[in-house]
């Protein structure tokens, strides 16, 4: 009997704090393989099938990473009592030393499992059955190419991954792990910085828009107001919900997206909620309430055709419903309309319908925007400002600023979507492609 296989089994069965990992597809299949061999089974077909299943599951779930990298990822982004308390330790809530010790013990068990090798299976089979060379070679090692490091852009995550890859025993990293969760949260909130809400659950966004605040030209006043409110929010102060309104393509949405890239290291997360999911907002805030991070609820392109259910829900949220808004949640919305709810000329006529209190209805329609504490206007740029935006984008891409560039930029805005930051970017995208084609 292979004694190392027995140790693998004991490490799986000794997991306490991270025991939920036994339900993970890769862990479950590997555990089943270890159990089968440790129980003395010598069915070659069954062992080959179990190992191939482990290999396949790791390849699919881990996207090409090694078993060690996969286990490190599961440790960092696990959601359990230890990781939750570690995240909350920012509020001076100490982690029980016995819990920390149990977690450290699990780390050593997981480190041992991460070193699982196909060699143990080969040695076991060679002792029990005649194993042809071509079948022995089919037990490939569970190795990868440091995929996690290549795909990780957050410095704190990259740093702790490198430590787990290079330091042993893993239990010696318990304080670094606590600090990681203190800075980044736990579970999905540690893994992702931006989320989409589908009405039932949060979906982590893999590829965030990389826009930065310094890339947004000609909206310095608007950026200043938003940044000041956001920094106050991150510092635990009471702040206002913000409505950013103005013409299409003037940088409203980009301002909110850029905040995440600037301040995610300070515990900021952004959750995008679509207008038709506003009625599920209470469910969302119950999820976010106890997470020790700060959340901007981002509602893009907000407007309503008439006083509808979602309008009523948003108004209740902003005014204060029976369920209080958590201190770690704020709403930033963008709109092309100042008043958010479409108003018709017929609304101003007392004879347009049978409603008695027409004025009350009209004021109700116009009142929603007033519920946002801060309203910021994004006007369309002048011609000079438009060309300044074109120049700034072109400079960052190494494109020479010429009279031809300006002439074509003005032709572009007249032929397409008018002057805006979005139009400027679209023009530079086109111009850059033209320059590259001319150079061959």
């Amino acid at each position: 009997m292979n004694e190392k296989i027995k140790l693998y089994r004991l490490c799986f069965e000794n997991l306490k704090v991270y025991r939920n990992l036994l339900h993970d597809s890769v862990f479950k299949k590997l555990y089943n393989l270890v159990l089968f061999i440790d129980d003395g089974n010598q069915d070659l077909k069954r062992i080959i099938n179990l190992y191939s299943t482990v290999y396949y599951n790791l390849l699919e779930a881990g996207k090409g990473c090694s078993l060690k990298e996969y286990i490190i990822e599961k440790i960092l982004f696990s959601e359990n009592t230890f990781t939750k308390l570690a995240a909350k330790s920012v509020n001076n809530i100490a982690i029980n030393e016995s819990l920390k010790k149990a977690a450290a013990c699990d780390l050593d068990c997981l480190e041992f499992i991460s070193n699982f090798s196909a060699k143990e299976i080969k040695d076991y089979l060679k002792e029990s059955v005649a194993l042809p060379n071509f079948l022995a070679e089919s037990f490939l090692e569970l190795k990868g190419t440091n995929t996690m490091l290549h795909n990780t852009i957050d410095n704190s995550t990259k740093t702790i991954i490198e430590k787990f890859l290079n330091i042993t025993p893993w239990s010696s990293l318990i304080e670094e792990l606590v600090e990681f969760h203190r800075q980044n949260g736990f579970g999905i909130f540690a893994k992702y910085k931006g989320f989409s809400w589908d009405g039932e659950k949060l979906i982590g966004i893999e590829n965030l828009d990389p826009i930065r605040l310094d890339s947004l030209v000609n909206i310095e006043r608007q950026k200043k107001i938003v940044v000041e409110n956001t920094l106050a929010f991150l510092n635990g102060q009471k702040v206002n919900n913000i409505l950013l309104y103005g013409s299409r393509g003037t940088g409203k949405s980009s301002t909110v997206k850029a905040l995440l890239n600037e301040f995610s290291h300070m515990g900021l997360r952004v959750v995008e909620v679509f207008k038709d999911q506003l009625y599920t907002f209470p469910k969302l805030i119950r999820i976010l309430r106890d997470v020790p991070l700060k959340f901007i609820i981002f509602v893009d392109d907000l407007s309503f055709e008439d006083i509808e259910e979602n309008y009523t829900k948003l108004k209740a949220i902003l005014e204060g419903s029976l369920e209080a808004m958590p201190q770690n949640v704020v709403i930033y919305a963008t709109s092309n309309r100042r008043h958010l709810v479409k108003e018709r000329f017929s609304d101003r006529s007392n004879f347009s319908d049978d409603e008695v209190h027409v004025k009350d209805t009209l004021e109700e329609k116009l009142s929603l925007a007033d519920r946002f504490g801060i309203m910021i206007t994004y006007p369309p740029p002048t011609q000079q400002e438009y060309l300044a935006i074109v120049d700034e984008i072109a400079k960052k891409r190494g494109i020479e600023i010429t009279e031809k560039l300006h002439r074509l930029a003005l032709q572009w805005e007249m032929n397409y979507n008018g002057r805006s930051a979005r139009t400027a970017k679209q023009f530079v995208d086109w111009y850059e492609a033209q320059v590259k084609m001319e150079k061959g």
Side-chain angles (χ1 to χ4, degrees), residues 10-230:
L10 290 174
C11 284
F12 274 111
E13 294 178 350
N14 192 50
L15 292 175
K16 299 175 180 68
V17 176
Y18 289 89
R19 198 164 187 82
N20 60 318
L21 295 184
L22 293 176
H23 300 291
D24 173 79
S25 61
V26 175
F27 272 82
K28 195 173 193 178
K29 300 300 181 184
L30 183 56
Y31 182 42
N32 287 340
L33 171 63
V34 168
L35 288 180
F36 189 78
I37 296 174
D38 190 51
D39 286 341
N41 293 295
Q42 298 179 1
D43 185 337
L44 180 59
K45 291 183 294 183
R46 179 67 173 151
I47 292 173
I48 290 175
N49 180 268
L50 285 169
Y51 186 80
S52 297
T53 303
V54 172
Y55 193 94
Y56 172 80
N57 275 270
L58 178 62
L59 193 63
E60 292 297 308
K63 300 178 182 178
C65 72
S66 67
L67 178 63
K68 185 182 289 286
E69 290 177 302
Y70 184 80
I71 291 176
I72 291 170
E73 180 181 359
K74 291 300 170 183
I75 291 170
L76 295 182
F77 306 133
S78 181
E79 182 174 339
N80 56 51
T81 299
F82 167 73
T83 60
K84 288 179 179 178
L85 287 177
K88 287 184 178 180
S89 62
V90 70
N91 297 324
N92 297 318
I93 300 174
I95 302 177
N96 183 286
E97 284 301 317
S98 64
L99 175 59
K100 195 186 292 185
K101 187 175 181 179
C105 182
D106 277 9
L107 291 182
D108 285 341
C109 289
L110 291 168
E111 181 182 12
F112 189 85
I113 294 169
S114 76
N115 292 316
F116 181 87
S117 170
K119 183 178 182 301
E120 278 81 33
I121 300 177
K122 293 178 188 178
D123 292 344
Y124 170 71
L125 290 174
K126 284 177 181 177
E127 292 174 2
S128 54
V129 296
L131 186 65
N133 285 334
F134 78 93
L135 282 179
E137 293 302 318
S138 72
F139 288 96
L140 302 173
E141 293 296 347
L142 306 175
K143 293 182 178 179
T145 54
N146 285 355
T147 308
M148 281 181 71
L149 286 175
H150 296 155
N151 294 338
T152 301
I153 57 173
D154 180 76
N155 287 333
S156 66
T157 304
K158 186 174 293 186
T159 298
I160 196 166
I161 289 172
E162 288 176 335
K163 287 184 177 181
F164 270 95
L165 288 171
N166 297 299
I167 294 177
T168 189
W170 283 0
S171 58
S172 66
L173 295 172
I174 189 68
E175 294 301 335
E176 282 88 343
L177 187 58
V178 170
E179 182 60 28
F180 171 79
H181 290 302
R182 184 183 290 123
Q183 291 182 10
N184 297 278
F186 59 85
I188 190 174
F189 304 108
K191 186 173 185 179
Y192 301 104
K193 311 305 179 188
F195 305 87
S196 178
W197 171 250
D198 70 357
E200 292 291 332
K201 63 184 181 300
L202 288 163
I203 301 168
I205 299 173
E206 293 275 357
N207 300 302
L208 294 169
D209 188 332
I211 188 75
R212 308 290 296 207
L213 286 171
D214 61 7
S215 300
L216 303 175
V217 183
N218 197 49
I219 52 171
E220 299 307 315
R221 180 187 66 83
Q222 291 88 341
K223 288 192 295 183
K224 184 175 183 293
I225 297 170
V226 176
V227 167
E228 286 177 352
N229 195 73
T230 303

Side-chain angles (χ1 to χ4, degrees), residues 209-211 215 389-401 405 421-436 439:
D209 188 332
I211 188 75
S215 300
I389 297 170
V390 169
D391 288 352
E392 187 66 25
I393 298 171
K395 282 178 188 175
K396 289 186 176 179
R397 300 190 189 183
I399 298 172
E400 184 182 0
I401 309 302
L405 177 75
R422 182 184 298 156
T423 301
K425 180 183 179 300
Q426 290 168 345
F427 163 71
V428 177
D429 288 343
W430 171 83
Y431 186 82
E432 184 179 29
Q434 296 298 117
V435 169
K436 287 180 179 178
K439 289 182 178 179

Side-chain angles (χ1 to χ4, degrees), residues 410-426:
L410 293 175
Q411 289 178 5
W412 183 275
E413 64 93 356
M414 286 189 289
N415 291 334
Y416 294 98
N417 299 315
R419 290 194 295 266
S420 73
R422 182 184 298 156
T423 301
K425 180 183 179 300
Q426 290 168 345

